[in-house]
Short mmCIF file of all heavy atoms in Angstrom, two decimals:
data_model
loop_
_atom_site.label_atom_id
_atom_site.label_comp_id
_atom_site.label_asym_id
_atom_site.label_seq_id
_atom_site.Cartn_x
_atom_site.Cartn_y
_atom_site.Cartn_z
N ASN A 1 102.08 92.96 105.10
CA ASN A 1 101.18 92.48 106.14
C ASN A 1 99.70 92.70 105.81
O ASN A 1 98.86 92.69 106.71
CB ASN A 1 101.51 93.15 107.48
CG ASN A 1 102.85 92.67 108.03
OD1 ASN A 1 103.26 91.54 107.77
ND2 ASN A 1 103.53 93.52 108.78
N LEU A 2 99.42 92.90 104.52
CA LEU A 2 98.04 93.15 104.10
C LEU A 2 97.57 92.02 103.18
O LEU A 2 98.37 91.43 102.46
CB LEU A 2 97.95 94.49 103.35
CG LEU A 2 98.45 95.73 104.10
CD1 LEU A 2 98.38 96.95 103.20
CD2 LEU A 2 97.66 95.96 105.38
N ASP A 3 96.26 91.76 103.21
CA ASP A 3 95.72 90.77 102.28
C ASP A 3 95.74 91.34 100.86
O ASP A 3 95.99 92.54 100.65
CB ASP A 3 94.30 90.35 102.69
CG ASP A 3 93.32 91.50 102.68
OD1 ASP A 3 93.04 92.04 101.59
OD2 ASP A 3 92.84 91.89 103.76
N HIS A 4 95.48 90.50 99.89
CA HIS A 4 95.65 90.90 98.49
C HIS A 4 94.79 92.12 98.13
O HIS A 4 95.30 93.09 97.55
CB HIS A 4 95.28 89.73 97.57
CG HIS A 4 95.47 90.02 96.12
ND1 HIS A 4 96.70 89.90 95.49
CD2 HIS A 4 94.60 90.45 95.16
CE1 HIS A 4 96.58 90.25 94.22
NE2 HIS A 4 95.32 90.57 93.99
N LYS A 5 93.51 92.08 98.47
CA LYS A 5 92.61 93.18 98.10
C LYS A 5 93.02 94.48 98.79
O LYS A 5 93.05 95.54 98.16
CB LYS A 5 91.16 92.81 98.47
CG LYS A 5 90.13 93.86 98.07
CD LYS A 5 88.72 93.38 98.37
CE LYS A 5 87.67 94.39 97.91
NZ LYS A 5 87.78 95.68 98.62
N THR A 6 93.30 94.40 100.08
CA THR A 6 93.70 95.60 100.82
C THR A 6 95.02 96.15 100.29
O THR A 6 95.19 97.36 100.16
CB THR A 6 93.82 95.30 102.32
OG1 THR A 6 92.59 94.76 102.80
CG2 THR A 6 94.16 96.55 103.12
N GLY A 7 95.94 95.24 99.95
CA GLY A 7 97.20 95.67 99.37
C GLY A 7 97.00 96.44 98.08
O GLY A 7 97.65 97.47 97.83
N GLU A 8 96.11 95.95 97.23
CA GLU A 8 95.80 96.64 95.97
C GLU A 8 95.24 98.03 96.24
O GLU A 8 95.58 99.00 95.56
CB GLU A 8 94.81 95.82 95.15
CG GLU A 8 95.42 94.60 94.48
CD GLU A 8 94.42 93.93 93.54
OE1 GLU A 8 93.20 94.01 93.83
OE2 GLU A 8 94.87 93.34 92.54
N GLU A 9 94.35 98.13 97.24
CA GLU A 9 93.74 99.42 97.56
C GLU A 9 94.79 100.42 98.07
O GLU A 9 94.77 101.61 97.70
CB GLU A 9 92.65 99.23 98.62
CG GLU A 9 91.43 98.46 98.11
CD GLU A 9 90.47 98.11 99.21
OE1 GLU A 9 90.82 98.30 100.40
OE2 GLU A 9 89.35 97.63 98.90
N VAL A 10 95.71 99.94 98.89
CA VAL A 10 96.75 100.81 99.44
C VAL A 10 97.68 101.31 98.34
O VAL A 10 98.05 102.49 98.29
CB VAL A 10 97.53 100.07 100.56
CG1 VAL A 10 98.83 100.79 100.89
CG2 VAL A 10 96.65 99.95 101.80
N ILE A 11 98.07 100.41 97.44
CA ILE A 11 98.94 100.81 96.32
C ILE A 11 98.23 101.81 95.42
O ILE A 11 98.83 102.81 94.99
CB ILE A 11 99.38 99.58 95.52
CG1 ILE A 11 100.30 98.69 96.37
CG2 ILE A 11 100.11 100.01 94.25
CD1 ILE A 11 101.54 99.38 96.88
N ALA A 12 96.96 101.58 95.15
CA ALA A 12 96.19 102.51 94.31
C ALA A 12 96.11 103.88 94.97
O ALA A 12 96.21 104.92 94.29
CB ALA A 12 94.78 101.96 94.06
N LEU A 13 95.97 103.91 96.29
CA LEU A 13 95.91 105.16 97.02
C LEU A 13 97.23 105.93 96.90
O LEU A 13 97.24 107.14 96.64
CB LEU A 13 95.59 104.89 98.49
CG LEU A 13 95.54 106.09 99.43
CD1 LEU A 13 94.43 107.03 99.02
CD2 LEU A 13 95.34 105.63 100.87
N MET A 14 98.34 105.22 97.05
CA MET A 14 99.64 105.88 96.93
C MET A 14 99.89 106.35 95.50
O MET A 14 100.44 107.43 95.27
CB MET A 14 100.75 104.94 97.42
CG MET A 14 100.77 104.78 98.93
SD MET A 14 102.22 103.90 99.56
CE MET A 14 101.67 102.21 99.40
N LYS A 15 99.47 105.55 94.52
CA LYS A 15 99.63 105.94 93.13
C LYS A 15 98.82 107.21 92.84
O LYS A 15 99.30 108.13 92.14
CB LYS A 15 99.17 104.79 92.23
CG LYS A 15 99.41 105.00 90.73
CD LYS A 15 100.87 104.87 90.38
CE LYS A 15 101.12 104.94 88.87
NZ LYS A 15 100.81 103.70 88.18
N GLN A 16 97.62 107.27 93.38
CA GLN A 16 96.78 108.45 93.19
C GLN A 16 97.43 109.69 93.79
O GLN A 16 97.46 110.76 93.17
CB GLN A 16 95.40 108.23 93.81
CG GLN A 16 94.46 109.41 93.67
CD GLN A 16 93.11 109.15 94.32
OE1 GLN A 16 92.80 108.03 94.73
NE2 GLN A 16 92.30 110.18 94.43
N SER A 17 97.96 109.56 95.01
CA SER A 17 98.61 110.71 95.66
C SER A 17 99.86 111.13 94.90
O SER A 17 100.18 112.32 94.82
CB SER A 17 98.95 110.38 97.11
OG SER A 17 100.01 109.45 97.21
N SER A 18 100.56 110.16 94.32
CA SER A 18 101.74 110.48 93.53
C SER A 18 101.36 111.32 92.32
O SER A 18 102.04 112.31 91.98
CB SER A 18 102.42 109.18 93.08
OG SER A 18 103.52 109.45 92.23
N ARG A 19 100.26 110.95 91.66
CA ARG A 19 99.83 111.68 90.47
C ARG A 19 99.27 113.06 90.82
O ARG A 19 99.58 114.05 90.18
CB ARG A 19 98.76 110.86 89.73
CG ARG A 19 99.29 109.59 89.11
CD ARG A 19 100.25 109.90 87.96
NE ARG A 19 100.90 108.68 87.47
CZ ARG A 19 102.09 108.28 87.87
NH1 ARG A 19 102.78 108.97 88.78
NH2 ARG A 19 102.63 107.17 87.38
N GLU A 20 98.42 113.11 91.84
CA GLU A 20 97.73 114.36 92.17
C GLU A 20 98.64 115.37 92.84
O GLU A 20 98.54 116.58 92.60
CB GLU A 20 96.52 114.08 93.06
CG GLU A 20 95.42 113.30 92.35
CD GLU A 20 94.24 113.02 93.25
OE1 GLU A 20 94.34 113.29 94.47
OE2 GLU A 20 93.20 112.53 92.74
N LYS A 21 99.54 114.90 93.73
CA LYS A 21 100.37 115.80 94.51
C LYS A 21 101.83 115.81 94.07
O LYS A 21 102.67 116.46 94.69
CB LYS A 21 100.29 115.41 96.00
CG LYS A 21 98.89 115.45 96.58
CD LYS A 21 98.87 114.98 98.01
CE LYS A 21 97.46 114.93 98.58
NZ LYS A 21 96.82 116.24 98.66
N LYS A 22 102.13 115.08 92.98
CA LYS A 22 103.51 115.00 92.47
C LYS A 22 104.48 114.50 93.54
O LYS A 22 105.60 114.99 93.68
CB LYS A 22 103.97 116.37 91.95
CG LYS A 22 103.05 116.98 90.90
CD LYS A 22 102.94 116.11 89.67
CE LYS A 22 102.07 116.76 88.60
NZ LYS A 22 101.83 115.87 87.44
N ILE A 23 104.03 113.52 94.32
CA ILE A 23 104.87 112.94 95.37
C ILE A 23 105.72 111.83 94.77
O ILE A 23 105.23 110.98 94.03
CB ILE A 23 104.01 112.39 96.52
CG1 ILE A 23 103.21 113.52 97.18
CG2 ILE A 23 104.87 111.68 97.55
CD1 ILE A 23 102.23 113.03 98.23
N THR A 24 107.00 111.82 95.10
CA THR A 24 107.91 110.76 94.68
C THR A 24 107.84 109.62 95.69
O THR A 24 108.00 109.83 96.89
CB THR A 24 109.35 111.29 94.60
OG1 THR A 24 109.38 112.41 93.71
CG2 THR A 24 110.31 110.22 94.11
N TYR A 25 107.60 108.41 95.19
CA TYR A 25 107.59 107.22 96.04
C TYR A 25 108.69 106.27 95.59
O TYR A 25 108.88 106.05 94.39
CB TYR A 25 106.25 106.47 95.93
CG TYR A 25 105.11 107.05 96.72
CD1 TYR A 25 104.29 108.02 96.17
CD2 TYR A 25 104.84 106.60 98.01
CE1 TYR A 25 103.21 108.55 96.88
CE2 TYR A 25 103.77 107.11 98.74
CZ TYR A 25 102.96 108.08 98.16
OH TYR A 25 101.91 108.59 98.88
N ILE A 26 109.41 105.71 96.56
CA ILE A 26 110.40 104.68 96.28
C ILE A 26 110.08 103.49 97.18
O ILE A 26 110.09 103.61 98.40
CB ILE A 26 111.83 105.17 96.55
CG1 ILE A 26 112.09 106.47 95.78
CG2 ILE A 26 112.85 104.10 96.16
CD1 ILE A 26 113.40 107.14 96.16
N PHE A 27 109.80 102.35 96.57
CA PHE A 27 109.41 101.15 97.30
C PHE A 27 110.55 100.14 97.29
O PHE A 27 111.26 99.99 96.29
CB PHE A 27 108.21 100.46 96.63
CG PHE A 27 106.96 101.28 96.60
CD1 PHE A 27 106.75 102.22 95.60
CD2 PHE A 27 105.99 101.10 97.56
CE1 PHE A 27 105.59 102.97 95.56
CE2 PHE A 27 104.82 101.84 97.53
CZ PHE A 27 104.63 102.78 96.53
N SER A 28 110.71 99.42 98.38
CA SER A 28 111.42 98.15 98.33
C SER A 28 110.34 97.07 98.42
O SER A 28 109.45 97.15 99.27
CB SER A 28 112.42 98.01 99.49
OG SER A 28 111.75 97.85 100.72
N THR A 29 110.40 96.11 97.52
CA THR A 29 109.28 95.17 97.45
C THR A 29 109.66 93.89 96.71
O THR A 29 110.61 93.87 95.93
CB THR A 29 108.08 95.83 96.74
OG1 THR A 29 106.93 94.99 96.85
CG2 THR A 29 108.38 96.11 95.28
N HIS A 30 108.92 92.83 97.00
CA HIS A 30 108.91 91.68 96.10
C HIS A 30 107.47 91.33 95.73
O HIS A 30 107.17 90.24 95.29
CB HIS A 30 109.63 90.46 96.73
CG HIS A 30 109.03 90.02 98.04
ND1 HIS A 30 109.55 90.38 99.25
CD2 HIS A 30 107.96 89.24 98.30
CE1 HIS A 30 108.83 89.85 100.22
NE2 HIS A 30 107.85 89.15 99.67
N ASP A 31 106.58 92.33 95.92
CA ASP A 31 105.15 92.17 95.66
C ASP A 31 104.87 92.56 94.21
O ASP A 31 105.10 93.70 93.80
CB ASP A 31 104.37 93.06 96.62
CG ASP A 31 102.87 92.84 96.55
OD1 ASP A 31 102.39 92.27 95.54
OD2 ASP A 31 102.17 93.23 97.50
N GLN A 32 104.32 91.63 93.45
CA GLN A 32 104.04 91.91 92.04
C GLN A 32 103.01 93.02 91.86
O GLN A 32 103.05 93.75 90.87
CB GLN A 32 103.55 90.62 91.35
CG GLN A 32 103.46 90.72 89.83
CD GLN A 32 104.80 91.00 89.17
OE1 GLN A 32 105.79 90.36 89.48
NE2 GLN A 32 104.83 91.97 88.26
N LYS A 33 102.11 93.17 92.84
CA LYS A 33 101.11 94.24 92.75
C LYS A 33 101.79 95.61 92.69
O LYS A 33 101.36 96.50 91.94
CB LYS A 33 100.16 94.19 93.96
CG LYS A 33 99.30 92.96 94.07
CD LYS A 33 98.25 93.11 95.14
CE LYS A 33 98.82 93.31 96.53
NZ LYS A 33 99.59 92.15 97.01
N VAL A 34 102.81 95.78 93.51
CA VAL A 34 103.54 97.05 93.52
C VAL A 34 104.28 97.24 92.20
O VAL A 34 104.24 98.32 91.59
CB VAL A 34 104.53 97.09 94.70
CG1 VAL A 34 105.32 98.40 94.70
CG2 VAL A 34 103.80 96.92 96.03
N MET A 35 104.93 96.19 91.74
CA MET A 35 105.68 96.29 90.49
C MET A 35 104.77 96.61 89.30
O MET A 35 105.14 97.37 88.40
CB MET A 35 106.45 94.98 90.23
CG MET A 35 107.59 94.74 91.20
SD MET A 35 108.47 93.19 90.84
CE MET A 35 107.93 92.18 92.20
N ASP A 36 103.56 96.05 89.31
CA ASP A 36 102.63 96.29 88.21
C ASP A 36 102.21 97.76 88.14
O ASP A 36 101.89 98.26 87.06
CB ASP A 36 101.39 95.41 88.36
CG ASP A 36 101.67 93.94 88.09
OD1 ASP A 36 102.71 93.64 87.48
OD2 ASP A 36 100.85 93.10 88.50
N GLN A 37 102.18 98.43 89.28
CA GLN A 37 101.73 99.82 89.33
C GLN A 37 102.88 100.82 89.19
O GLN A 37 102.64 102.02 88.98
CB GLN A 37 100.99 100.09 90.65
CG GLN A 37 99.65 99.39 90.76
CD GLN A 37 98.67 99.88 89.72
OE1 GLN A 37 98.58 101.06 89.43
NE2 GLN A 37 97.92 98.96 89.13
N ALA A 38 104.11 100.36 89.30
CA ALA A 38 105.26 101.26 89.29
C ALA A 38 105.49 101.88 87.92
O ALA A 38 105.22 101.25 86.88
CB ALA A 38 106.51 100.52 89.74
N ASP A 39 105.99 103.11 87.90
CA ASP A 39 106.44 103.73 86.66
C ASP A 39 107.67 103.01 86.12
O ASP A 39 107.87 102.91 84.91
CB ASP A 39 106.80 105.20 86.89
CG ASP A 39 105.63 106.04 87.34
OD1 ASP A 39 104.50 105.71 86.97
OD2 ASP A 39 105.84 107.02 88.08
N ARG A 40 108.49 102.53 87.05
CA ARG A 40 109.74 101.86 86.67
C ARG A 40 110.09 100.85 87.76
O ARG A 40 109.87 101.11 88.94
CB ARG A 40 110.87 102.89 86.52
CG ARG A 40 112.22 102.32 86.17
CD ARG A 40 113.17 103.43 85.67
NE ARG A 40 113.39 104.46 86.65
CZ ARG A 40 114.55 104.67 87.29
NH1 ARG A 40 115.59 103.88 87.06
NH2 ARG A 40 114.66 105.67 88.15
N VAL A 41 110.60 99.71 87.35
CA VAL A 41 111.04 98.68 88.30
C VAL A 41 112.55 98.52 88.16
O VAL A 41 113.06 98.26 87.06
CB VAL A 41 110.33 97.33 88.04
CG1 VAL A 41 110.87 96.27 89.00
CG2 VAL A 41 108.82 97.48 88.18
N VAL A 42 113.25 98.70 89.26
CA VAL A 42 114.69 98.45 89.32
C VAL A 42 114.88 97.14 90.06
O VAL A 42 114.46 97.01 91.22
CB VAL A 42 115.42 99.60 90.06
CG1 VAL A 42 116.89 99.24 90.28
CG2 VAL A 42 115.31 100.89 89.27
N ARG A 43 115.49 96.17 89.41
CA ARG A 43 115.66 94.85 90.03
C ARG A 43 117.06 94.71 90.59
O ARG A 43 118.05 95.04 89.92
CB ARG A 43 115.37 93.75 89.02
CG ARG A 43 113.93 93.81 88.51
CD ARG A 43 113.56 92.63 87.62
NE ARG A 43 112.21 92.77 87.11
CZ ARG A 43 111.11 92.40 87.77
NH1 ARG A 43 111.23 91.85 88.96
NH2 ARG A 43 109.92 92.58 87.24
N ILE A 44 117.12 94.23 91.82
CA ILE A 44 118.39 94.06 92.50
C ILE A 44 118.53 92.60 92.93
O ILE A 44 117.56 91.99 93.40
CB ILE A 44 118.51 95.04 93.69
CG1 ILE A 44 119.90 95.01 94.30
CG2 ILE A 44 117.44 94.79 94.72
CD1 ILE A 44 120.16 96.14 95.27
N TRP A 45 119.72 92.07 92.73
CA TRP A 45 119.98 90.67 93.07
C TRP A 45 121.39 90.59 93.63
O TRP A 45 122.36 91.01 92.99
CB TRP A 45 119.85 89.79 91.83
CG TRP A 45 120.06 88.32 92.11
CD1 TRP A 45 121.25 87.65 92.12
CD2 TRP A 45 119.05 87.36 92.43
NE1 TRP A 45 121.05 86.33 92.43
CE2 TRP A 45 119.71 86.11 92.62
CE3 TRP A 45 117.67 87.43 92.55
CZ2 TRP A 45 119.02 84.96 92.95
CZ3 TRP A 45 116.99 86.27 92.89
CH2 TRP A 45 117.66 85.06 93.09
#
């Protein structure tokens, strides 16, 4: 529900918190922005 720029900012924020605080994040998504930032992409069909 976010525009492209805001979505990028939110993903970057979560990625930063993951790195700094060692937080594990698991996303369900079909957004390429999220996939581009992920450590690993698991595809389900």
Side-chain angles (χ1 to χ4, degrees):
N1 290 331
L2 304 176
D3 61 66
H4 182 83
K5 183 176 183 297
T6 304
E8 285 187 330
E9 292 171 351
V10 165
I11 293 302
L13 178 63
M14 287 189 275
K15 186 73 174 282
Q16 179 181 350
S17 71
S18 176
R19 292 292 172 265
E20 293 179 352
K21 302 177 184 296
K22 305 299 182 186
I23 297 174
T24 304
Y25 281 88
I26 306 171
F27 297 84
S28 70
T29 188
H30 58 262
D31 187 342
Q32 190 62 47
K33 295 190 299 296
V34 178
M35 291 181 252
D36 289 343
Q37 291 296 319
D39 297 330
R40 178 164 60 110
V41 177
V42 172
R43 298 187 183 276
I44 187 168
W45 182 273

